């Protein structure tokens, strides 16, 4: 299987986007060919979540059908309604024993990409339910768009436009591990005022520019750079593996992904961040034995950090301009068209 360096490198995972470039927001739906084991980690101070309590290992729901990432803050949580409706349509067309009740289990995290002050321009109901249905309808295996797409459409960091990123890896034992992250952090993914990414030590090839780390880190590089106090952030996503895990192990997978958030964003997990990561096991391969489990966790941190940098690196301009430049607009060759 050829690696695309994406979440869909793990068989059985499909990704779809829907976005509105005028509203500067969007939805990303992650669908699974078969229900997956999942749990989560939510250390951010301002989370916008739906159905995540059922992910706790002590709770009875064992599997989920989809994960949704969206913009829109709590308005964006309507996107689950659309994804759930699409899944219900598929269930209704599937042959099931008489009397069987199948409720699609969809988990969601949302980021804050509303205009300053939180004004909305839609009517009584938000557009996110329809956007969620569109994202689910478009979900496919294989390649998908990064940067200014889906949940990353309106994302920003403290200094640059944010976006949707993904990365994958294969452990020494042959397990696939991959992450998908929407980067809308209160902090920054780049070091100081330069082009280097905090994720640089983990970069594979030149997936986000190949610049490495700066020769030295100065006090100015380490100075706090954050969004204004009235604007919340959020780095949200999921990390998945094809290894068979328990719910408790899936939670540990999500916790190690949060280590990746802390390596890719500085600072992370602030009071106005809603940082949320969901750990997923597709159970395609046997349970990891001994050191194999540690290898999966080690990879989870790295693919999350890499996905964060890719999300910012791949961001593109939006219609009407922006107060924040993209990485390529600020640091790319001036005679090269923006990605």
């Amino acid at each position: 299987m050829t690696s695309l360096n994406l979440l869909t490198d793990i068989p059985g995972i499909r990704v779809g986007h829907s976005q509105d470039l005028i509203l500067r927001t969007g939805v990303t739906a992650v669908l699974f060919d078969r229900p997956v084991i999942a749990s989560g980690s939510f250390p951010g101070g301002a989370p916008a979540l739906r159905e995540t309590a059922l992910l706790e290992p002590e709770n009875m729901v064992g599997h989920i059908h989809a994960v949704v990432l969206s913009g829109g803050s709590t308005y964006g949580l309507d996107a689950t309604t659309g994804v759930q409706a699409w899944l219900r349509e598929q269930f209704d067309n599937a042959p099931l024993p008489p009397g069987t009740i199948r409720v699609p289990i969809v988990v969601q995290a949302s980021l804050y990409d509303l205009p300053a002050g939180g004004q909305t321009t839609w009517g009584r109901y938000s557009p996110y339910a329809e956007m969620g249905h569109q994202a689910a309808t478009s979900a496919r295996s294989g390649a998908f768009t990064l940067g200014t797409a889906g949940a990353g459409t309106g994302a920003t960091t403290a200094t640059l436009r944010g976006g949707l990123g993904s990365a994958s890896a294969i452990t020494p034992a042959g397990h696939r591990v991959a992450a998908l992250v929407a980067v809308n952090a209160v902090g920054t993914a780049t070091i100081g005022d330069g082009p280097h990414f905090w994720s640089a030590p983990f970069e594979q090839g030149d997936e986000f520019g190949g610049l490495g780390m700066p020769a030295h880190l100065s006090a100015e590089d380490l100075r706090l750079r954050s969004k204004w106090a009235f604007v919340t952030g959020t780095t949200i996503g999921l990390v998945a593996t094809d290894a068979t895990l328990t719910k408790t192990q899936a939670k540990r997978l999500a916790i190690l992904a949060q280590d990746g958030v802390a390596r890719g964003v500085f600072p992370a997990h602030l009071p106005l961040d809603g940082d949320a990561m969901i750990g997923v096991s597709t159970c395609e391969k046997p349970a990891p034995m001994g050191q194999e489990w540690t290898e999966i966790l080690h990879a989870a941190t790295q693919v999350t950090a890499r996905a964060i940098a890719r999300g910012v690196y791949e961001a593109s301009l939006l219609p009407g301009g922006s107060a924040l430049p993209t990485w390529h607009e600020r640091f790319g060759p001036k005679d090269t068209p923006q990605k």
Side-chain angles (χ1 to χ4, degrees):
M1 178 178 176
T2 302
S3 174
L4 297 173
N5 198 22
L6 296 172
L7 180 68
T8 47
D9 285 340
I10 298 179
I13 297 181
R14 291 168 284 145
V15 174
H17 300 317
S18 176
Q19 54 271 326
D20 186 320
L21 298 182
I22 303 303
L23 292 177
R24 298 178 174 229
T25 191
V27 174
T28 296
V30 181
L31 307 182
F32 307 108
D33 290 348
R34 295 179 306 206
V36 298
I37 292 170
S39 189
S41 173
F42 314 105
L49 308 170
R50 181 164 171 175
E51 297 288 17
T52 52
L54 58 79
L55 295 176
E56 293 304 320
E58 70 271 18
N59 291 337
M60 67 170 290
V61 174
H63 297 80
I64 67 172
H65 298 94
V67 173
V68 180
L69 307 178
S70 81
S73 187
T74 55
Y75 295 113
L77 297 178
D78 290 343
T80 285
T81 299
V83 175
Q84 192 174 49
W86 186 89
L87 287 167
R88 191 186 70 248
E89 292 163 3
Q90 313 315 304
F91 291 175
D92 289 346
N93 293 327
L96 296 172
T100 300
I101 299 175
R102 289 186 62 181
V103 177
I105 305 299
V106 182
V107 174
Q108 182 177 355
S110 181
L111 57 82
Y112 190 103
D113 57 6
L114 300 175
Q119 300 94 337
T120 61
T121 58
W122 53 78
R124 175 170 294 174
Y125 299 108
S126 86
Y128 289 98
E130 184 59 31
M131 293 174 72
H133 193 277
Q134 292 170 0
T137 301
S138 70
R140 301 288 186 273
S141 57
F144 58 88
T145 305
L146 299 181
T148 306
T153 300
T156 59
T157 69
T159 56
L160 297 169
R161 293 208 61 77
L164 190 80
S166 191
S168 70
I170 300 176
T171 70
H175 293 107
R176 291 185 180 270
V177 183
L180 177 70
V181 183
V183 188
N184 187 58
V186 171
T188 178
T190 49
I191 299 173
D193 293 319
H196 303 271
F197 287 93
W198 292 110
S199 302
F202 311 108
E203 185 174 14
Q204 299 297 303
D206 60 353
E207 62 187 347
F208 42 87
L211 299 179
M213 292 287 286
H216 303 283
L217 290 181
S218 67
E220 177 63 17
D221 291 331
L222 300 178
R223 177 176 62 82
L224 174 64
R225 291 167 173 82
S226 67
K227 293 177 180 175
W228 302 293
F230 63 83
V231 177
T232 55
T234 298
T235 301
I236 56 175
L238 69 154
V239 61
T241 180
D242 56 7
T244 297
L245 304 181
T246 64
K247 277 185 77 173
T248 299
Q249 287 176 315
K251 186 172 183 69
R252 182 57 55 184
L253 187 71
I255 291 170
L256 268 290
Q258 291 289 2
D259 286 352
V261 172
R263 284 162 172 78
V265 171
F266 181 72
H269 309 145
L270 292 168
L272 293 176
D273 276 313
D275 296 340
M277 290 298 297
I278 297 167
V280 168
S281 163
T282 64
C283 300
E284 183 195 13
K285 292 184 177 178
M289 303 296 291
Q291 185 70 7
E292 294 177 359
W293 174 221
T294 303
E295 292 172 355
I296 290 171
L297 295 173
H298 185 59
T301 295
Q302 295 184 59
V303 294
T304 302
R306 290 165 51 206
I308 288 169
R310 290 193 80 196
V312 174
Y313 181 76
E314 297 289 349
S316 57
L317 294 172
L318 283 169
S322 171
L324 287 172
T326 68
W327 187 95
H328 284 276
E329 187 181 11
R330 184 169 180 185
F331 301 116
K334 301 307 179 185
D335 57 350
T336 301
Q338 179 162 358
K339 294 170 68 69

